Amino acid sequence: MTISDPAGSTAPDSLSAEQVAAGPNGRLVAVVVTFRRLDQLKITLGALLAQPARDLSAVLIVDNASNDGTAEWLAAQGDPRLVTLALPENRGGAGGFEAGMRHAVEHLAPDWIVVMDDDARPEPGAFAAFQALDLGGFDGFAAAVRHPDGTLCEMNRPTFNPFWHKKILARTLLGGGRGAFHLGPEDFERPGLRRVDGASFVGFFVRAGTVRLRGYPDPALFLYGDDAIYTMELTKAGHAIGFEPSVRFEHDSSTYSNADPRIRPLWKVYYYHRNLLILYRIATGVFFVPVLMLYLPRWLLRLRHHKGERGTFLRLFGLAIADGLRRRTERSHAEILRRAQGRGSEKR
């Protein structure tokens, strides 16, 4: 079934037998956000619907106003577990996940929700492995995410907040880099459920009851860091997020293999730095100011990669820092695009 924007959506009259099915951990509903990547979406949806109905009750595809034939292709699919939610404009990853999770909670009666991008999907047996876990005491869960070639997906490694763990903070300060506060290859091979502090929105499972209690990702974040902010705030509020390497996902992403050091397109400069500031404030607490003083010069060094557009970079960067420090997220995406194109701003 296809449903329009959440403001005007209606609940389905009834759930199919496949959607009612549930494994030991209850009804699992997948939420996938897509935007103009139909080829990837086809693979992802195929991988999802190949999971047994007992392990995956429903799949909700959130179409961020794609114009590549996505809506037409989805409308032609006939699996009773498939539900599509068509948004009237591109709301970014954050807006898509907020709309999708909200619709799933309100209309699809999940016990758990699992979220992912359109270029990420579960490996065979992933949801059976999830259903087999004893998740009593856990409100979230992070899958083990790899690239198609089997290497760990850097952007999707579950993380610890160094400022909540003295030993991890010491390793980080002593030069441990990202490896000091992210799960490493050995963790992806060691069986057993363990706690982490944060996770990405690729193979992230969350109890529907926790979502009802704590709310949804902030759609105004648009993209970058919305997953880290959401999961870190869950942990900060006292919810436990688990990790176990038997639940495996594939992420066909080339983000970290791109040799171009520039941020592309340039408007992403704003969201990247603003959202990092919001995340760092959550993570660092009383250490926020010294951490800010450490990272600001590093971020400004990126300017050297943007020859010919440094003025625009600085304009977006300055706006990001000002809004990030004030935790201001209400600027429209249209305004950010105008700023990136040098066409002025909205008066506020």
Side-chain angles (χ1 to χ4, degrees):
M1 70 187 71
T2 301
I3 301 169
S4 62
D5 178 58
S9 65
T10 58
D13 294 333
S14 62
L15 298 175
S16 68
E18 290 83 355
Q19 290 175 315
V20 172
N25 280 319
R27 283 176 40 78
L28 177 64
V29 173
V31 173
V32 183
V33 176
T34 188
F35 178 62
R36 296 195 312 201
R37 285 197 295 206
L38 180 55
D39 289 344
Q40 288 282 9
L41 178 63
K42 289 178 178 179
I43 301 171
T44 294
L45 184 59
L48 286 166
L49 294 178
Q51 307 283 324
R54 178 176 179 271
D55 301 328
L56 179 64
S57 299
V59 179
L60 173 61
I61 305 295
V62 182
D63 181 6
N64 247 331
S66 302
N67 57 2
D68 62 348
T70 293
E72 294 78 7
W73 182 80
L74 286 170
Q77 306 309 302
D79 194 290
R81 285 186 290 170
L82 174 62
V83 178
T84 63
L85 180 63
L87 301 183
E89 71 280 325
N90 179 16
R91 298 178 183 174
F97 284 120
E98 184 270 341
M101 290 170 66
R102 186 180 298 276
H103 188 85
V105 166
E106 293 177 353
H107 300 305
L108 298 177
D111 294 296
W112 285 83
I113 295 170
V114 57
V115 296
M116 67 205 74
D117 295 328
D118 52 11
D119 59 352
R121 66 276 312 190
E123 293 190 6
F127 292 158
F130 169 79
Q131 292 286 3
L133 293 173
D134 179 2
L135 292 171
F138 288 90
D139 294 315
F141 179 84
V145 186
R146 294 173 171 82
H147 289 294
D149 64 4
T151 59
L152 300 191
C153 194
E154 180 67 25
M155 71 171 74
N156 303 129
R157 286 198 287 164
T159 184
F160 301 100
N161 180 5
F163 295 92
W164 296 341
H165 308 277
K166 292 180 180 178
K167 291 183 179 179
I168 295 175
L169 178 60
R171 290 202 303 267
T172 304
L173 294 176
L174 291 173
R178 285 177 56 86
F181 57 94
H182 285 78
L183 294 186
E186 67 282 0
D187 300 297
F188 280 63
E189 300 299 332
R190 185 178 70 187
L193 194 60
R194 62 181 299 179
R195 288 186 63 165
V196 295
D197 295 332
S200 75
F201 279 174
V202 169
F204 176 66
F205 300 72
V206 61
R207 288 189 189 272
T210 301
V211 176
R212 293 187 186 97
L213 177 65
R214 297 296 175 187
Y216 299 88
D218 182 357
L221 293 171
F222 198 76
L223 82 168
Y224 286 133
D226 51 303
D227 46 8
I229 290 170
Y230 187 75
T231 56
M232 202 74 74
E233 286 188 325
L234 287 181
T235 301
K236 189 175 182 179
H239 298 279
I241 298 174
F243 169 82
E244 213 286 333
S246 64
V247 182
R248 295 171 58 119
F249 264 64
E250 175 189 280
H251 193 184
D252 189 10
S253 170
S254 60
T255 298
Y256 278 84
S257 63
N258 189 348
D260 189 347
R262 296 172 297 176
I263 298 177
R264 291 291 187 222
L266 199 58
W267 55 262
K268 290 185 178 181
V269 168
Y270 173 78
Y271 293 109
Y272 180 85
H273 295 98
R274 183 199 65 179
N275 294 356
L276 273 181
L277 280 182
I278 294 171
L279 173 62
Y280 287 176
R281 187 184 290 276
I282 296 168
T284 60
V286 297
F287 298 101
F288 177 67
V289 172
V291 168
L292 177 64
M293 294 300 101
L294 174 66
Y295 277 95
L296 274 178
R298 296 184 181 182
W299 292 343
L300 272 172
L301 282 175
R302 293 194 178 104
L303 187 64
R304 69 186 188 275
H305 301 302
H306 289 270
K307 186 177 180 180
E309 55 189 15
R310 290 172 180 169
T312 303
F313 181 100
L314 286 173
R315 180 167 59 249
L316 293 167
F317 181 81
L319 191 66
I321 300 305
D323 286 352
L325 289 174
R326 291 182 292 175
R327 285 173 278 194
R328 180 181 183 182
T329 61
E330 67 268 23
R331 291 188 191 274
S332 69
H333 183 53
E335 178 186 354
I336 300 307
L337 291 177
R338 285 195 294 271
R339 297 264 188 167
Q341 295 164 1
R343 292 189 294 175
S345 63
E346 298 172 355
K347 293 182 179 180
R348 293 184 181 271

